[in-house]
Amino acid sequence: MRIKRSMARRAVAALGVLALAGSLAACGDSGGDSASGAKSDKLTGVGPITLATGKDTTGTLNEILAEWNKAHPKQKVTLTELPEDADQQRQQMVQNAQTKSDAYTILNLDVVWTSEFAANGWVEQLPESEFAMDKYLAPVVKTAKYFNKLYAAPYASDGALLYYRTDLLKQAGIAKAPTTWDEMNADCTKVLKLPAGKGMSCYGGQLDKYEGLTVNFSEAVDSAGGEVVGADGKPNVNTPEAKKGLDFLVDGVKDKTIPKDALTWKEEESRRGFESGKVVFLRNWPYCYSLMANKKDAGNKVSGKYGVAPIPGLSGPGKGTLGGHNLAISKFAKNKKTALDFIKWFTSEKNERTWLTKNSQAPVYGSLYDDPALQKQFPYLATLKQSIEKAEPRPAIVNYGDATAAIEEQAYAAISGSKSSAQALKDLQANLTKITSKDK
Amino acid sequence: MTAAVQAPTPPAKAERPVRLDRRRGVGRFAAALLSPTVLVLALVIGYPIVSALRLSFQVTHQGINPTTGMVENTSHVGLANYAGIFSGDSASQFWNAFWNTTTFTVAGVAIETVIGVAMALIMHKAFRGRGIVRASVLVPWAIPTAISGLLWKWIFQSDGIANTVLHTHVLWTTEGFHAWGAVLIADVWKTAPFIGLLALAGLQVIPGEVYEAAKVDGSGAWRTFFRITLPLARPALVVAVLFRMLDALRMFDLPFVLIGAHKHSVETLSTFAWYEASNLRYGTAAAYSTVLFLYIAVVAFVFVKVLGADLIGRGVEGKKK
């Protein structure tokens, strides 16, 4: 008993000391916690740096880094691999910033994180003069800016494509892909009358309750002439245009032109749905293009029977949602001069070409989309360029995590029929206003 | 220990202090040996708990400077994070998560106990291939939860096996009661074997003579089960159920992987706290985690006091009579 008691006492004492130390340490750093105090340092310092990015499964990244390291032995760049999952990548980068660690020099940011990282003062502002701004696709630059200042270098882009069944459209006597929702539904009605179209639905997208729904919802709203968040940064979804956009999805699910299954679809599920012949039209990213060509895939019925077009809209071609990644420099890192040099080199046209040919990653330079040799290798390039040029970034909101959750919440309620689209948009407007308002 | 010291008979009066000293020396030595362990435990368990508690009282207000667009945080110490549980935007979400956590635990553990005991009874029977049955029953328990979540996701997807077998077209992974049911089924599948294993251990210590005596007295199968098997296996079963309850209360990965991150029908306190933390509201996340921690502690305490200690105590006493 005596031993136990004294041990317990000691444990408590140790805990107390630790707690005290912890709270003292916390008091010490809370003063500098607010981001306003962090001034923009000049991009100086030469030496080794790190690149924090998600997993690269192709090995292309290592090849490119090796090339840099060979030419710059004193300014070596080391790869810091983050988890594959985007949420976890963001979390690690946020943690790195909050502990003001210099472990990551260059951050590979998803385009929707730019506002959050810039507003919190976690990344450096970049000089626009150092980059060939006129060579980039215009919407790509938008994703790298916050409050009209450049915080990241465009690195990879991504845009929506409408995949369609060329064989079925041909059988139905349709010469070209539809450009409006009405056209698409009319074409689909013709296809479903064919014997080959029996049991099919018209259109599929990514409508499960996750980030993909935010993308699909914003796309529908933008394509109907509405906007989720206006140029002034204020949400603007309680409008007739936004309702028309949301109703395209809601009505589609109701009258079964969108299969009910699509409520469980993410990128891959929707691709399988299209490949197994469940839908005539599918909205998805370019990465599917080469995968769908794979004849060995058992459930793949569409190999060689599909084409791509820009996504349709209410009264003409629609507006896609921009995906992609940008590179930013962590505010707390060392050797920022090297980091800037590296980013410039890494996102050069030459390297972007390598990424495209080896990894089919959508480049940020307009010229690469027009290159005939590349177009031959990737037949979707011209369409993708159109798509990206018309595309809108997702709402630039500092608390993007909350915003996307609110959008998912209301859009999902509407398309699954538990709320009217008018009510959902009204609620969404209220939620987003709260999230974007100054004091939360 | 004091009783043991006093026990020696008086004659050895001169020896007593010496023994005591030796004991004290041994005690100090033991304490010295254990102190690194205690220190490590304090560091890796004590500190995070205390730190989380401290964090949960830190209230942060965020504002965005309209001219620069920069975030400006102000924080003070207060009870607002806890008050948010009862009022404000997140109150309904919190109580939804609390309700889900509780219903998962109550329904899940109840079903698992019934199935687990049934499994144990089967495994306890002597029959050919008993080893294989015992091993195979434990396979679900051996699979990591995230992986089994993935397996069940394939089963419950729109064109999955569940719909094919049941001839239905239920979209299990969408919002609704069916999503809750899907998580429950997957959880029962995974953890009933755990209760089965511990119950089996309880069954194996029951001496065969008890059953023989019951047989001689003409006791039927049900009577034997409720009057002999269950009371005698109870200590092991109580431990199993307690472990499962503590586990179920902090359920995270199964609903997260199987149904998805933002689905309210299956959101638990753990996933809710995770969501708050991933949106940089560490104060509220810590507050919710603390509430969960207290909830688990209370459940464990009540369970041990009411079901564990007292009932078994009475059972043993009853047997003595």
Side-chain angles (χ1 to χ4, degrees):
Chain A
M1 268 320 209
R2 225 171 273 139
I3 294 172
K4 267 191 196 161
R5 233 177 257 149
S6 73
M7 258 165 55
R9 225 177 286 136
R10 263 175 229 195
V12 169
L15 262 177
V17 169
L18 281 169
L20 204 63
S23 56
L24 282 177
C27 287
D29 70 63
S30 66
D33 212 336
S34 78
S36 56
K39 262 194 207 158
S40 171
D41 297 308
K42 280 185 197 112
L43 300 173
T44 52
V46 172
I49 55 170
T50 60
L51 168 64
T53 177
K55 238 184 185 80
D56 168 51
T57 46
T58 55
T60 316
L61 186 56
N62 280 328
E63 270 174 48
I64 295 181
L65 294 190
E67 198 183 320
W68 166 271
N69 285 340
K70 211 173 156 193
H72 305 83
K74 284 194 178 154
Q75 304 176 46
K76 273 208 164 131
V77 56
T78 318
L79 180 63
T80 309
E81 271 199 353
L82 302 180
E84 211 163 335
D85 182 69
D87 282 333
Q88 286 174 21
Q89 289 172 21
R90 172 176 158 270
Q91 209 153 6
Q92 291 214 357
M93 291 184 192
V94 169
Q95 261 167 24
N96 179 71
Q98 288 191 325
T99 54
K100 300 188 166 49
S101 152
D102 61 0
Y104 305 158
T105 317
I106 298 169
L107 306 173
N108 186 359
L109 299 182
D110 191 303
V111 287
V112 293
W113 303 339
T114 312
S115 308
E116 183 183 19
F117 278 71
N120 280 294
W122 294 335
V123 291
E124 288 286 355
Q125 193 186 330
L126 301 180
E128 281 190 38
S129 54
E130 298 271 350
F131 296 92
M133 302 304 277
D134 53 327
K135 284 189 170 176
Y136 297 130
L137 295 171
V140 171
V141 179
K142 269 199 220 170
T143 68
K145 283 188 173 178
Y146 176 71
F147 261 67
N148 238 342
K149 290 172 190 153
L150 190 71
Y151 283 94
Y155 159 60
S157 190
D158 218 352
L161 293 175
L162 183 76
Y163 291 82
Y164 62 96
R165 292 285 295 273
T166 44
D167 57 331
L168 296 178
L169 258 60
K170 206 171 168 191
Q171 279 180 43
I174 302 158
K176 65 181 211 14
T179 53
T180 67
W181 290 334
D182 285 342
E183 271 177 50
M184 185 167 81
N185 285 337
D187 289 356
C188 177
T189 315
K190 282 184 204 163
V191 169
L192 295 195
K193 279 186 190 138
L194 299 171
K198 220 182 140 206
M200 288 180 89
S201 294
C202 285
Y203 175 80
Q206 294 76 40
L207 303 184
D208 197 355
K209 197 176 177 186
Y210 80 118
E211 180 65 26
L213 181 58
T214 303
V215 169
N216 277 254
F217 168 79
S218 323
E219 227 155 65
V221 169
D222 289 336
S223 298
E227 56 186 9
V228 179
V229 171
D232 55 357
K234 295 215 169 75
N236 191 19
V237 281
N238 200 6
T239 60
E241 291 81 17
K243 186 169 180 305
K244 275 178 201 158
L246 179 57
D247 279 343
F248 161 63
L249 299 174
V250 173
D251 295 343
V253 174
K254 219 177 268 168
D255 63 24
K256 294 187 176 128
T257 50
I258 297 175
K260 196 122 209 245
D261 290 9
L263 289 177
T264 66
W265 282 0
K266 299 184 179 181
E267 275 82 358
E268 281 298 275
E269 285 90 348
S270 65
R271 176 172 72 89
R272 280 202 299 272
F274 181 72
E275 285 181 355
S276 64
K278 265 192 196 133
V279 287
V280 185
F281 299 99
L282 172 75
R283 176 246 171 257
N284 213 332
W285 306 99
Y287 87 98
C288 294
Y289 195 89
S290 45
L291 290 174
M292 284 180 190
N294 183 7
K295 278 185 198 156
K296 283 181 198 147
D297 201 341
N300 189 356
K301 296 186 195 162
V302 300
S303 179
K305 299 176 191 165
Y306 61 90
V308 288
I311 58 164
L314 181 67
S315 52
K319 286 181 180 172
T321 301
L322 268 186
H325 281 83
N326 297 327
L327 297 180
I329 300 178
S330 163
K331 185 147 263 166
F332 315 104
K334 289 176 191 147
N335 303 329
K336 292 175 188 165
K337 167 91 171 56
T338 303
L340 181 65
D341 291 344
F342 174 77
I343 290 179
K344 274 162 63 187
W345 175 83
F346 191 66
T347 60
S348 66
E349 209 171 315
K350 176 184 145 274
N351 278 328
E352 290 273 303
R353 181 186 287 268
T354 313
W355 275 114
L356 173 61
T357 48
K358 292 208 172 155
N359 230 357
S360 62
Q361 171 182 293
V364 292
Y365 295 97
S367 55
L368 291 175
Y369 291 88
D370 304 329
D371 188 312
L374 290 172
Q375 278 185 350
K376 206 178 161 201
Q377 193 182 348
F378 302 99
Y380 60 81
L381 270 186
T383 314
L384 181 60
K385 187 183 182 189
Q386 285 178 44
S387 166
I388 293 176
E389 277 180 332
K390 285 207 76 169
E392 291 285 336
R394 268 162 283 173
I397 295 173
V398 175
N399 294 311
Y400 182 75
D402 288 325
T404 188
I407 294 173
E408 287 163 32
E409 184 64 41
Q410 300 303 335
Y412 198 76
I415 58 172
S416 60
S418 64
K419 220 181 230 186
S420 73
S421 55
Q423 185 63 40
L425 289 172
K426 206 177 144 209
D427 293 348
L428 181 58
Q429 176 71 20
N431 291 346
L432 286 180
T433 306
K434 211 176 277 169
I435 290 165
T436 52
S437 71
K438 264 197 334 172
D439 193 53
K440 239 203 105 229
Chain B
M1 226 174 253
T2 23
V5 175
Q6 281 166 354
T9 39
K13 251 187 184 168
E15 270 176 56
R16 263 184 83 189
V18 178
R19 258 196 214 170
L20 252 177
D21 269 5
R22 248 182 76 205
R23 272 185 186 280
R24 220 173 259 155
V26 168
R28 280 212 194 103
F29 186 56
L33 281 180
L34 280 174
S35 59
T37 316
V38 174
L39 197 70
V40 168
L41 285 181
L43 264 175
V44 300
I45 298 175
Y47 176 66
I49 291 175
V50 173
S51 164
L53 265 175
R54 187 186 62 79
L55 196 61
S56 71
F57 290 105
Q58 197 163 7
V59 184
T60 307
H61 288 283
Q62 192 192 62
I64 295 170
N65 186 323
T67 47
T68 60
M70 287 303 187
V71 171
E72 281 159 9
N73 286 325
T74 49
S75 62
H76 61 92
V77 174
L79 288 169
N81 295 332
Y82 289 98
I85 292 168
F86 301 102
S87 65
D89 298 335
S90 49
S92 64
Q93 280 191 61
F94 174 85
W95 288 109
N96 170 60
F98 187 83
W99 172 250
N100 283 337
T101 309
T102 311
T103 50
F104 274 135
T105 306
V106 172
V109 175
I111 299 171
E112 283 153 22
T113 310
V114 173
I115 296 177
V117 169
M119 281 175 167
L121 288 173
I122 292 168
M123 287 189 283
H124 191 49
K125 283 257 151 41
F127 59 89
R128 194 186 274 263
R130 188 169 71 161
I132 293 172
V133 172
R134 279 187 189 176
S136 58
V137 155
L138 280 174
V139 168
W141 175 247
I143 297 173
T145 314
I147 305 296
S148 67
L150 212 54
L151 289 176
W152 282 95
K153 192 181 172 166
W154 291 331
I155 291 174
F156 282 123
Q157 70 190 20
S158 59
D159 51 357
I161 306 160
N163 282 335
T164 314
V165 170
L166 298 170
H167 296 290
T168 52
H169 198 79
V170 177
L171 298 174
W172 297 92
T173 56
T174 56
E175 289 271 26
F177 179 70
H178 43 265
W180 184 89
V183 171
L184 191 70
I185 291 170
D187 190 48
V188 168
W189 174 82
K190 184 181 159 50
T191 52
F194 173 74
I195 291 195
L197 184 74
L198 290 202
L200 178 64
L203 291 182
Q204 283 179 333
V205 296
I206 303 174
E209 299 91 64
V210 183
Y211 286 106
E212 279 164 27
K215 219 176 204 172
V216 172
D217 290 346
S219 167
W222 284 108
R223 211 178 144 80
T224 313
F225 175 72
F226 282 110
R227 288 296 171 86
I228 295 173
T229 311
L230 216 49
L232 288 179
R234 182 181 262 151
L237 205 56
V238 165
V239 171
V241 170
L242 178 65
F243 275 26
R244 269 306 304 146
M245 274 169 69
L246 301 187
D247 218 22
L249 283 170
R250 56 181 178 80
M251 189 193 293
F252 179 88
D253 29 10
L254 197 58
F256 195 86
V257 176
L258 175 54
I259 308 295
H262 294 307
K263 306 267 170 82
H264 293 306
S265 355
V266 297
E267 193 162 57
T268 64
L269 282 175
S270 298
T271 53
F272 187 47
W274 173 87
Y275 170 73
E276 290 292 306
S278 69
N279 283 299
L280 309 185
R281 287 187 292 271
Y282 297 120
T284 45
Y288 297 152
S289 307
T290 307
V291 170
L292 175 61
F293 175 75
L294 291 177
Y295 185 37
I296 292 178
V298 166
V299 166
F301 182 77
V302 168
F303 194 78
V304 168
K305 276 289 160 206
V306 175
L307 273 174
D310 282 350
L311 280 184
I312 294 169
R314 241 181 279 143
V316 172
E317 266 169 37
K319 231 180 21 162
K320 269 181 192 164
K321 281 171 200 168

